[in-house]
Amino acid sequence: EKAEDNQAKEINVVGMARKKLISLGRGEITVDSAAEESVCPEEWGEAYKTEVPEKWMKFTNASGGHMGHYGAKEVMFKTGAQKDKLMSLGFQMSDVQKPLAAVWRIAEKGNIVQFGPKKEDNYIQNVKTMQKLPMTRKGGSYVLDAEFMIEEEKVAPGFPGRAMTK
C-alpha cells in the first residue's frame, strides 16, 4: 500500500469546482443484467453516508425469501482508464454478499452496457463522451474494478481508513 493512497488529492469533477478527494481503496462491483435494483451489503462502504431511500422497497432473494432494506448510499468511484473523472451510482442497502449494479441503472445514467465473446467486447460506454470502461469476466459474472473515492469534507468523523476491499 502506498503512503499516498489515503491522502487528499485534487481532482476536477465534471460540472463542479476542484474537490479534494480521498481514496478509500479498490474493490469490485458486479454488473448484473437481471437485477431489479443496484444493491450492496449493509456494512459495505462505511465511509459513505447512509441516506433514507426515496421509497422503501421489498427485496426477495432467488429462493423467494425476504431481504431487508436498510437505506441507500451514493458511491463515487474511478475505473478503467479514467484518471480524472468520477462516476457515481446509487445503491440500496440489503442482505446481499457483494455490491451489484443493475444494468438498467447504469443505462439510465446515459451509458450503453455491452457483453460480448472477447475480452475487449465487455464494457460500459458513455453515450456523450464515448469513453469505454472495461468490465472483466469472473466466472459467469462481469465486474468493474473500481477505486472508491470520497470528498475530503464528507469523511465521517472518526472514520479509521480504507472502506473498500476486494
Side-chain angles (χ1 to χ4, degrees), residues 1-134:
E1 180 176 310
K2 296 178 186 172
E4 66 187 42
D5 279 351
N6 285 334
Q7 292 179 357
K9 300 175 193 172
E10 278 194 21
I11 192 166
N12 188 23
V13 180
V14 177
M16 297 171 65
R18 293 182 77 77
K19 299 280 185 177
K20 287 194 177 186
L21 299 175
I22 296 174
S23 173
L24 298 173
R26 300 192 77 80
E28 293 178 344
I29 300 172
T30 300
V31 178
D32 190 340
S33 62
E36 293 279 334
E37 189 58 72
S38 295
V39 292
C40 68
E42 185 176 10
E43 69 282 352
W44 182 73
E46 295 167 339
Y48 296 105
K49 184 178 177 185
T50 299
E51 304 280 345
V52 174
E54 288 182 23
K55 67 176 186 172
W56 291 98
M57 300 177 186
K58 294 182 181 180
F59 296 120
T60 55
N61 61 27
S63 301
H66 173 75
M67 296 169 55
H69 185 195
Y70 309 110
K73 291 182 182 195
E74 188 75 21
V75 176
M76 289 193 320
F77 57 95
K78 300 188 293 185
T79 187
Q82 68 176 21
K83 302 292 183 206
D84 63 344
K85 294 181 183 163
L86 291 173
M87 291 181 65
S88 68
L89 193 59
F91 288 88
Q92 302 301 316
M93 298 160 50
S94 187
D95 300 315
V96 293
Q97 299 299 310
K98 60 186 177 183
L100 302 171
V103 167
W104 78 272
R105 286 291 191 192
I106 297 169
E108 81 174 356
K109 287 186 166 266
N111 299 289
I112 294 169
V113 182
Q114 178 172 305
F115 304 101
K118 295 184 275 181
K119 182 179 177 180
E120 62 271 15
D121 292 337
N122 303 296
Y123 57 84
I124 297 169
Q125 183 174 27
N126 184 274
V127 174
K128 288 182 183 173
T129 67
M130 301 306 286
Q131 181 178 14
K132 291 181 181 179
L133 304 174

Side-chain angles (χ1 to χ4, degrees), residues 133-150:
L133 304 174
M135 292 186 292
T136 304
R137 186 170 176 188
K138 286 204 166 180
S141 298
Y142 293 89
V143 299
L144 288 171
D145 177 34
E147 179 181 6
F148 297 95
M149 308 297 286
I150 192 166

